[in-house]
Amino acid sequence: DAGVTQSPTHLIKTRGQHVTLRCSPISGHKSVSWYQQVLGQGPQFIFQYYEKEERGRGNFPDRFSARQFPNYSSELNVNALLLGDSALYLCASSFSRKYSGNTIYFGEGSWLTVV
Amino acid sequence: AQKITQTQPGMFVQEKEAVTLDCTYDTSDQSYGLFWYKQPSSGEMIFLIYQGSYDEQNATEGRYSLNFQKARKSANLVISASQLGDSAMYFCAMQGNKLVFGAGTILRVKS
């Protein structure tokens, strides 16, 4: 079975540009969460989507937005990129909205560099 | 608000020895879960072990065990018989509607 897939794996953008990151959850999983991991730090929660609705939002500016499609895949959009947006963006997939045990699966992430 | 503290930025351990990675947490919830993840340089988050707050036994998964001390709000990860492939970043995380991660500990296994 396919795991959580993210694309692109690596990308370089210029300040002020826009970026779209994509995530396909494990088949049957209805929840997708996004995390930002700046170099040398732990991941920080950005969004959770469950059944195509936003269920949680972290402390990120409105430049960050996301959506979930009918097939439960998700996009994370970041507008007006800043140098500080350079990070590894992780997608996490789970069946339910609440986590417990080994029920959360992470993708390999998208490495974003803003120059 | 939930908070995870990992006070060891980096640790060294000799191959085949045991090592303990520290994690303390803060929460006002009565029911919660604690996770440990391994992150190699590739970036993928690899699940290692989970402990529920109401679990009476400390969790174990192969060479990994979690030393859960609820009264002290600590959830230390013990890796027995360290291997060179254990060299990575290790994160402690707490469950809610989201995962709250600590800053991580870099573990280096020496041969």
Side-chain angles (χ1 to χ4, degrees), chain B residues 8-55:
Chain B
Q8 305 156 312
M11 292 281 287
F12 283 95
V13 65
Q14 196 67 39
E15 193 179 9
K16 299 181 184 178
E17 292 185 350
V19 63
T20 297
L21 306 183
D22 294 341
C23 172
T24 58
Y25 61 91
D26 190 22
T27 182
S28 56
D29 294 341
Q30 295 301 309
S31 177
Y32 51 88
L34 295 153
F35 297 76
W36 276 93
Y37 286 91
K38 173 184 178 181
Q39 188 179 43
S41 57
S42 61
E44 182 185 5
M45 280 288 186
I46 301 169
F47 168 82
L48 295 178
I49 198 165
Y50 170 84
Q51 179 85 40
S53 58
Y54 291 116
D55 294 340

Side-chain angles (χ1 to χ4, degrees), chain B residues 15-108:
Chain B
E15 193 179 9
K16 299 181 184 178
E17 292 185 350
V19 63
T20 297
L21 306 183
D22 294 341
C23 172
T24 58
Y25 61 91
D26 190 22
T27 182
S28 56
D29 294 341
Q30 295 301 309
S31 177
Y32 51 88
L34 295 153
F35 297 76
W36 276 93
Y37 286 91
K38 173 184 178 181
Q39 188 179 43
S41 57
S42 61
E44 182 185 5
M45 280 288 186
I46 301 169
F47 168 82
L48 295 178
I49 198 165
Y50 170 84
Q51 179 85 40
S53 58
Y54 291 116
D55 294 340
E56 295 185 356
Q57 304 271 357
N58 283 346
T60 60
E61 293 281 352
R63 294 187 299 112
Y64 305 107
S65 60
L66 200 151
N67 183 2
F68 182 48
Q69 298 187 44
K70 195 170 182 177
R72 298 181 61 183
K73 294 190 174 180
S74 73
N76 298 338
L77 176 71
V78 180
I79 305 175
S80 63
S82 296
Q83 302 172 356
L84 295 177
D86 293 335
S87 293
M89 179 72 89
Y90 288 80
F91 289 100
C92 180
M94 169 171 280
Q95 160 219 352
N97 283 335
K98 60 183 181 182
L99 285 176
V100 176
F101 287 84
T105 297
I106 299 175
L107 177 66
R108 292 286 179 251

Side-chain angles (χ1 to χ4, degrees), chain A residues 19-72:
Chain A
V19 68
T20 297
L21 307 177
R22 296 176 177 84
C23 173
S24 293
I26 290 172
S27 178
H29 282 194
K30 301 179 179 180
S31 173
V32 170
S33 297
W34 289 94
Y35 291 81
Q36 180 197 63
Q37 187 179 11
V38 173
L39 191 64
Q41 298 181 17
Q44 298 290 318
F45 172 75
I46 310 175
F47 286 109
Q48 183 191 30
Y49 276 77
Y50 178 73
E51 288 283 19
K52 293 156 280 184
E53 291 187 10
E54 183 182 307
R55 301 291 185 160
R57 184 185 183 112
N59 188 23
F60 281 82
D62 291 342
R63 299 185 296 108
F64 288 76
S65 63
R67 54 180 175 169
Q68 188 175 33
F69 298 99
N71 66 353
Y72 300 110

Side-chain angles (χ1 to χ4, degrees), chain A residues 1-22:
Chain A
D1 288 341
V4 180
T5 57
Q6 291 187 244
S7 63
T9 54
H10 295 81
L11 69 166
I12 301 173
K13 290 285 189 178
T14 304
R15 277 177 298 175
Q17 283 189 318
H18 163 90
V19 68
T20 297
L21 307 177
R22 296 176 177 84

